[in-house]
Amino acid sequence: MSTLSRYIFRQAAGTTVLIVLSLTAVVWIALALRQLNLVTAQGQDTLAFLKITLLGLPNLMAVIAPVALLIATIQLLNRLSADSELIVMTAAGATVWKPARPLMLLAVLVSLVVV
């Protein structure tokens, strides 16, 4: 991979990880609030509560990860455009597909992780 591809991949991957973590936290809180009656009504301990809520997260990752990748890709391309980096890449002779290749590689990696 070229320096430009590594730069784009690193930026997109880092943003995707941060978005996945934040969306997972939000979804986990929603799951935890739904299962809160397990602790209060049935008198279960906190460990059982954590086990039940954490068991639901892997299925939700199949939904969270692609959405996080989409948000990260849009944010990255918007930032590259706003900072005129896309124009500089084109002026330097890069094709339109040059910034798309690392994003497609990241999409393949995310799809492999989700499956």
Side-chain angles (χ1 to χ4, degrees):
M1 271 206 298
S2 67
T3 305
L4 177 63
S5 294
R6 283 194 310 266
Y7 169 71
I8 292 173
F9 183 83
R10 188 173 57 245
Q11 294 293 320
T15 306
T16 302
V17 168
L18 287 175
I19 294 171
V20 163
L21 291 176
S22 62
L23 286 177
T24 302
V26 169
V27 170
W28 184 77
I29 289 172
L31 281 173
L33 289 175
R34 225 182 322 161
Q35 297 294 332
L36 191 61
N37 67 353
L38 178 72
V39 174
T40 57
Q42 297 178 0
Q44 295 291 330
D45 61 345
T46 310
L47 185 62
F49 172 70
L50 286 175
K51 283 181 185 177
I52 288 173
T53 55
L54 290 176
L55 285 173
L57 286 180
N59 290 335
L60 291 172
M61 289 302 290
V63 176
I64 293 172
V67 171
L69 178 64
L70 176 68
I71 294 169
T73 301
I74 291 171
Q75 189 272 337
L76 175 69
L77 292 175
N78 186 32
R79 188 179 55 79
L80 289 175
S81 177
D83 293 343
S84 300
E85 293 181 38
L86 290 175
I87 295 170
V88 171
M89 286 183 232
T90 307
T95 62
V96 176
W97 289 103
K98 189 74 171 178
R101 284 186 191 129
L103 295 174
M104 287 189 282
L105 175 65
L106 184 61
V108 168
L109 290 175
V110 167
S111 66
L112 290 175
V113 167
V114 168
V115 172

